[in-house]
Amino acid sequence: SLYDEDETDRAPDPVSQIFSRIRVHAERTRRSAYSWADLMDLLGTSFKPDQIKQCLQDYASINVWQLEGGTEDNPGIRLTVS
């Protein structure tokens, strides 16, 4: 049944995976900004550009980071400092 499923059996969605990778990398490197080229270097072999853009837009909409630089097709981000 739906309630018997173990949550650990499901892989996180691509947007969540992308966010997690950016967060971990930023914490490890103390980096606060990423260009589109930086993001593609970090994520491009594992995720499609559309998935990366969706993640950037989703998390920008809740003020985790701000979209900046580049174009709508190639945005960069600046992390919001709490």
Side-chain angles (χ1 to χ4, degrees):
S1 96
L2 176 65
Y3 298 107
D4 293 334
E5 269 188 45
D6 184 4
E7 288 291 322
T8 60
D9 289 345
R10 283 192 242 161
D13 65 287
V15 169
S16 297
Q17 291 176 347
I18 292 165
F19 171 75
S20 179
R21 285 203 193 173
I22 294 171
R23 182 180 51 81
V24 167
H25 188 266
E27 288 173 351
R28 192 178 75 240
T29 63
R30 299 217 173 291
R31 196 162 176 182
S32 63
Y34 292 85
S35 69
W36 180 253
D38 296 333
L39 293 167
M40 290 306 293
D41 286 344
L42 181 64
L43 305 162
T45 59
S46 301
F47 301 98
K48 297 175 184 171
D50 287 345
Q51 293 171 319
I52 297 169
K53 284 182 233 175
Q54 185 65 53
C55 176
L56 300 184
Q57 293 166 352
D58 287 357
Y59 282 90
S61 73
I62 58 171
N63 295 321
V64 171
W65 50 54
Q66 297 174 341
L67 298 179
E68 68 172 23
T71 65
E72 187 175 313
D73 289 332
N74 303 12
I77 57 170
R78 177 160 304 279
L79 304 176
T80 303
V81 179
S82 301

